[in-house]
Amino acid sequence: MTDSEDREQQAAVSRMMLYYLNAPLAEGYRLRGVLPAPGAVRIAVRGGDGDSGETFLYEIPHDIVGPAWIPGILRAVLSGTQLHGSSDVSKAFGMTLIRLHPERITPAPEPEEGQALGALLGLGLGGADDDENPFLIGFLLREGGLMRVYAQRPGRSGLIGVDIRLAEATTALTASLPSLLDEEEHQRPAPDDPHCDFVVDLTNW
């Protein structure tokens, strides 16, 4: 990678990891920072609480994996027992630095809340581009890996509940969702949900 590509990937990782500041990366571990390094990114993670805690730096090369894989790699490392060779462990900036080999690590799956966040951001809930006439106005995580999002169609009355399967909330689905709302084959009444007028079932889309 060139220096410019390194910087672009570093920025992409930093943006992605912002969403992990408010929740543990894994049980007992919290994100503390994202640092640049030559040809790599270093993720600062705090393990433990109070004076007994310690901050580690996990170094991941840019040319092995893309930014989207990094949270899963970190979850796998933090959730299991990992053996690191002495040549992969050193000190940097007062922290223990561990160089990871992502090609040897199977990324851990995204938890349900992370999948929901990705889907909602893909649908534009995190933006403020259309506050006067928003499309997506609410959501509810449900059992069985499902989520119901609440939407309104511009220029039309009534609220719609849209059921999607989190594991299948692909870019194609989120991009197609506004047009799918009008397809009657997916629509059904919602007598048990007072928050919408009818439901569009996209769990098998």
Side-chain angles (χ1 to χ4, degrees):
M1 281 188 167
T2 65
D3 288 344
S4 175
E5 289 172 332
D6 273 354
R7 288 193 294 271
E8 289 176 6
Q9 184 134 328
Q10 174 73 31
V13 174
S14 295
R15 287 192 296 270
M16 174 169 293
M17 297 305 295
L18 282 176
Y19 301 110
Y20 295 92
L21 283 170
N22 284 332
L25 274 167
E27 186 174 356
Y29 294 94
R30 301 192 72 93
L31 177 70
R32 298 296 293 170
V34 182
L35 291 77
V41 63
R42 291 176 176 175
I43 312 295
V45 176
R46 179 79 174 178
D49 298 315
D51 295 337
S52 61
E54 183 178 356
T55 301
F56 298 86
L57 276 178
Y58 292 95
E59 182 175 294
I60 301 173
H62 286 318
D63 59 353
I64 303 296
V65 294
W69 293 97
I70 289 178
I73 289 170
L74 289 170
R75 281 193 298 272
V77 170
L78 298 172
S79 301
T81 300
Q82 302 290 325
L83 299 177
H84 305 287
S86 58
S87 61
D88 292 326
V89 180
S90 59
K91 286 284 187 178
F93 204 19
M95 294 172 276
T96 299
L97 170 63
I98 302 173
R99 295 174 180 84
L100 299 180
H101 298 274
E103 69 278 8
R104 306 175 190 169
I105 301 169
T106 300
E110 184 83 20
E112 186 176 79
E113 292 80 4
Q115 293 177 0
L117 176 62
L120 292 168
L121 291 174
L123 290 167
L125 188 59
D129 295 336
D130 197 15
D131 282 345
E132 294 184 1
N133 192 22
F135 169 67
L136 193 65
I137 60 173
F139 64 94
L140 175 67
L141 290 172
R142 310 188 77 188
E143 298 295 327
L146 303 180
M147 179 169 66
R148 177 167 292 179
V149 297
Y150 295 90
Q152 62 177 2
R153 293 170 293 182
R156 302 179 67 172
S157 62
L159 296 178
I160 306 167
V162 186
D163 287 337
I164 62 175
R165 196 172 299 280
L166 287 172
E168 299 170 5
T170 62
T171 302
L173 172 59
T174 55
S176 302
L177 194 145
S179 62
L180 292 170
L181 299 187
D182 291 324
E183 296 185 3
E184 293 186 2
E185 63 183 284
H186 301 299
Q187 298 176 4
R188 58 180 175 81
D192 60 334
D193 188 346
H195 308 97
C196 59
D197 296 289
F198 65 91
V199 168
V200 171
D201 185 358
L202 299 180
T203 56
N204 294 315
W205 188 83

